[in-house]
Amino acid sequence: MQSTRHVYKPIPLRIIFILNAIMGLLPFIFYYVITSKNINIGDIQPIWMIYTGIAYFISFISLVVFILKRNLWAARVVFFINILVAIPAKAYIGIVVAVISILLSFYNKKVSTYFNS
């Protein structure tokens, strides 16, 4: 019989996970509100929110895979890519979430211990 080792996922890692999940939903919510209420958002076309949401969704799936494989550097690359994805749509919330995720991945010992165990 094969034994399975259960390793507790630290709260900062759960925060990273939840923030990135929410970040994947927000562009679609913003798109709905802006298009249904005919809100003008300057020179940005609302379709950029859809593109941004799709990119965040793909990055979230990648993040989940990298967390399960315990590949911290790949997860950090995902966070950096999220910053690049946010720039065209001026998605400042996405940039903040990515920066928080990067900081937690570098400066929280519980996160680095989880990936190194």
Side-chain angles (χ1 to χ4, degrees), residues 18-61:
I18 291 168
L19 285 175
N20 281 272
I22 292 169
M23 185 175 68
L25 294 174
L26 282 178
F28 298 107
I29 294 169
F30 285 143
Y31 176 82
Y32 172 75
V33 171
I34 287 169
T35 56
S36 67
K37 304 290 184 190
N38 293 322
I39 298 172
N40 185 4
I41 53 173
D43 61 344
I44 299 199
Q45 298 296 318
I47 193 68
W48 278 101
M49 291 179 200
I50 297 296
Y51 298 150
T52 304
I54 291 168
Y56 283 159
F57 181 71
I58 292 168
S59 76
F60 180 71
I61 292 170

Side-chain angles (χ1 to χ4, degrees), residues 9 13-14 16-22 56-72 74-76 78-79 82 114-115:
K9 290 177 184 64
L13 182 60
R14 292 172 191 254
I16 290 171
F17 180 85
I18 291 168
L19 285 175
N20 281 272
I22 292 169
Y56 283 159
F57 181 71
I58 292 168
S59 76
F60 180 71
I61 292 170
S62 301
L63 179 63
V64 170
V65 170
F66 295 138
I67 288 173
L68 292 175
K69 290 186 175 190
R70 295 179 186 235
N71 188 338
L72 182 57
R76 288 174 177 158
V78 168
F79 303 145
N82 284 343
Y114 171 81
F115 280 97

